[in-house]
Amino acid sequence: MDAIHELYHALTTSDYVLVGAGAGLSAAAGISFADERAFKRDYPALWAQGVHSDYQTFSYKGWLPGQRWGYLCRHIKAVLLDTPALPLYDDLKALLEDSDYFAVTSNVDHQFIKAGFPPERVFEAQGSYGELVCSARCSDDEYDIAPFIDATLPHIKDDLTVDAAHHPHCPRCGAPLRPAFRDTRAHALGDQRYHDFLAESENASIAILEFGVGFNSAGVIRVPFERITGEREKARFFRITVDYPESEEEIAYPEIPVPIADKSLSINRDAGAVIRELLALKKSRA
């Protein structure tokens, strides 16, 4: 049995399906945080400062005053506000619709929700780009980021800096607002639903599918999925990821740890190609 048929068999015969989606899935869909050519075109000032991809901004410490907010405005507008549901996420939804599944994603692009996945079946483990919260935590209020981006865009300079007067501030206490990421009510609810799913499926057969997950946030999906696989007698684990040798970033590793090798399969291929082949196989058997 080849890899695609083995994966399809596990997907369609398991009681439950757990899906993990990393940056490689959105890259296959058309949103790549590792695209250095696009980054150089869109952010020449940061490129000149030695930053060569969106990934590198996560750990970058050399921001000029006001520059990080300027970058985030343009980046979040492109990734979240201007990008509709991408066809690959529609394909994944169609592939899973007959399964009792739950999806965990480290991506902050909101693609699962845009594609119409039921919110109760999705945990955005890193949060999303959509909300701001008070940096002083004077309240638990969450603010839609879109109006703040719209207000800032005309004031972004060529070097991406933005004067402090055009940064978002808390309407309650005046402290700076910051991207919420994990600090939202939706995140807490998603986390609880994830744990409920794991408890419900604990003694059943489960197919665990990991799409495009590397080591940028290994503690969110990669390490927990390996642990779940090792702990469960009826688990079958599939790691679908492809290396990006042209990138400066070490972002994708298809290897399987030895302790779970007997119940796992590594598919070192583009996540999009695998999903489309699985969906074609499903349609051919309908």
Side-chain angles (χ1 to χ4, degrees), residues 5 10 37 73-74 91 120 134 137 174 192 204 227 257 282:
H5 283 81
R37 181 178 299 178
C73 282
R74 289 189 178 172
D91 290 345
E120 64 271 18
C134 177
R137 297 318 302 259
Q192 183 59 55
R227 176 182 54 78
K282 177 180 180 179

Side-chain angles (χ1 to χ4, degrees), residues 91-105:
D91 290 345
L92 180 58
K93 182 172 176 286
L95 179 65
L96 296 172
E97 62 186 1
D98 298 323
S99 301
D100 193 344
Y101 72 88
F102 193 86
V104 184
T105 180

Side-chain angles (χ1 to χ4, degrees), residues 12 65 132 261:
T12 54
L132 296 171

Side-chain angles (χ1 to χ4, degrees), residues 39-61:
F39 190 89
K40 182 178 183 179
R41 177 196 66 217
D42 296 337
Y43 308 109
L46 286 177
W47 184 273
Q49 291 170 218
V51 186
H52 293 165
S53 71
D54 293 300
Y55 275 128
Q56 292 182 2
T57 66
F58 298 157
S59 58
Y60 183 54
K61 305 299 184 184

